Amino acid sequence: MEHRTIADTTVSAVGLGAMPLSIEGRPDETRAIDTVHAALDAGVTLIDTADSYHWHADEVGHNELLVARALAGYGGDTSGVLIATKGGRGRPGDGSWTVTATPEHLKRAAEASARRLGVEAIGLYQLHKPDPAVPWAESVGALRDLLDAGTIRAAGISNVTTSQIRQAHQILGDGLVSVQNQYSPAVRDSEPELQLSTELGLAFLPWSPLGGISRSSLDGPSGPTSIGTAFHRIAAEHGVSPQQIALAWLLSRSPAVIPLPGASRPASVTDSARAAELTLSPGELTQLDHTLPG
């Protein structure tokens, strides 16, 4: 597995987005834990979770607890695994998402996340989304307080603009280490945020990195097939899944990029991890740069 860095921490070039293991349509716990173990077997050392990754209203922290159990039950060494979690969003249980990023809420949420994860300090704690009802500086200031208190070791921000990145960087300094925005072959609106993150030395963690990449016949007989884009055509030429091509393309965008593909079964996470070893030619990358999947 190729590696990249988040500040001074070395992690796998492809991480695991653990959200599908806990929300609607989630697998049973055995398969969920097998999926995390498959990620670890493949060399994945960055797992992304959040206190709001749950289905029902009364199970806040479901995903954090699941990840903690999976790590505890893994037979190998997990000391090099970075668990990144997030706070500031909620799920009332009706399928909707809320935003609460007051300093008081974020501090309580971070302390609760640390307990669920079974750690003295959270390796990477991310503000899940700006709260329009709270001044951005106040929400980011809570991350500063959590850093100073030793509750978290590093801070990240998610779903943000370039101006919010700059302001957070001014407040947090070296304590700010990452930006997590939606970025994929189909959704490239965060190109300015990616470029700024690269300039500032921040890791850029694309969520939903496989957006726009439908299944192909290479993935097996289940599901619809698609061969209509350069992602699928190049995948066929390499004999790999189009998902691998999408992740390899993302990795080529900047050395700051560490994609976080979600998975709900071991085969998916194993396939995604292989993208870190896939080399695309300059010509292939040019084709992909100009392809927006439909």
Side-chain angles (χ1 to χ4, degrees), residues 33 49 66 85 93 96 126 143 185 250 255 280 285 292:
I33 289 178
T49 180
L66 176 68
T85 192
S96 66
Q126 305 159 95
L143 298 181
L250 283 167
L280 299 175
L285 291 172
L292 286 172

Side-chain angles (χ1 to χ4, degrees), residues 118-172:
V119 297
E120 293 184 4
I122 296 171
L124 173 56
Y125 191 71
Q126 305 159 95
L127 200 166
H128 206 153
K129 187 176 183 179
D131 185 341
V134 179
W136 179 237
E138 291 185 14
S139 296
V140 176
L143 298 181
R144 177 75 270 169
D145 292 343
L146 288 166
L147 286 165
D148 292 342
T151 308
I152 67 176
R153 293 196 174 95
I157 51 178
S158 182
N159 299 300
V160 289
T161 63
T162 54
S163 63
Q164 289 168 334
I165 295 172
R166 291 188 187 279
Q167 189 174 5
H169 191 249
Q170 290 176 346
I171 295 170
L172 298 172

Side-chain angles (χ1 to χ4, degrees), residues 16-23 25-40 47 62-63 65-71 263-267 269:
L16 169 64
M19 182 176 75
L21 302 177
S22 291
I23 63 168
R26 66 194 182 200
D28 61 47
E29 181 158 322
T30 297
R31 195 177 92 185
I33 289 178
D34 286 347
T35 300
V36 177
H37 288 177
L40 299 172
I47 300 177
H62 181 281
N63 198 241
L65 291 167
L66 176 68
V67 169
R69 286 195 296 274
L71 289 175
S264 61
R265 57 192 180 96
V269 72

Side-chain angles (χ1 to χ4, degrees), residues 40-64:
L40 299 172
D41 288 343
V44 171
T45 59
L46 173 62
I47 300 177
D48 182 75
T49 180
D51 61 0
S52 58
Y53 289 169
H54 59 89
W55 186 346
H56 308 292
D58 61 350
E59 54 179 20
V60 174
H62 181 281
N63 198 241
E64 293 173 322

Side-chain angles (χ1 to χ4, degrees), residues 100-213:
T100 306
T102 62
E104 296 77 18
H105 175 83
L106 291 172
K107 292 174 185 178
R108 289 195 303 268
E111 291 166 358
S113 289
R115 289 193 296 271
R116 286 189 289 265
L117 292 171
V119 297
E120 293 184 4
I122 296 171
L124 173 56
Y125 191 71
Q126 305 159 95
L127 200 166
H128 206 153
K129 187 176 183 179
D131 185 341
V134 179
W136 179 237
E138 291 185 14
S139 296
V140 176
L143 298 181
R144 177 75 270 169
D145 292 343
L146 288 166
L147 286 165
D148 292 342
T151 308
I152 67 176
R153 293 196 174 95
I157 51 178
S158 182
N159 299 300
V160 289
T161 63
T162 54
S163 63
Q164 289 168 334
I165 295 172
R166 291 188 187 279
Q167 189 174 5
H169 191 249
Q170 290 176 346
I171 295 170
L172 298 172
D174 292 341
L176 179 66
V177 301
S178 66
V179 171
Q180 183 175 159
N181 277 15
Q182 185 177 17
Y183 189 73
S184 70
V187 180
R188 306 185 190 185
D189 296 346
S190 281
E191 190 70 36
E193 289 74 25
L194 167 57
Q195 293 178 5
L196 179 58
S197 297
T198 304
E199 293 170 11
L200 295 176
L202 306 175
F204 187 83
L205 314 176
W207 63 264
S208 194
L210 298 176
I213 300 300

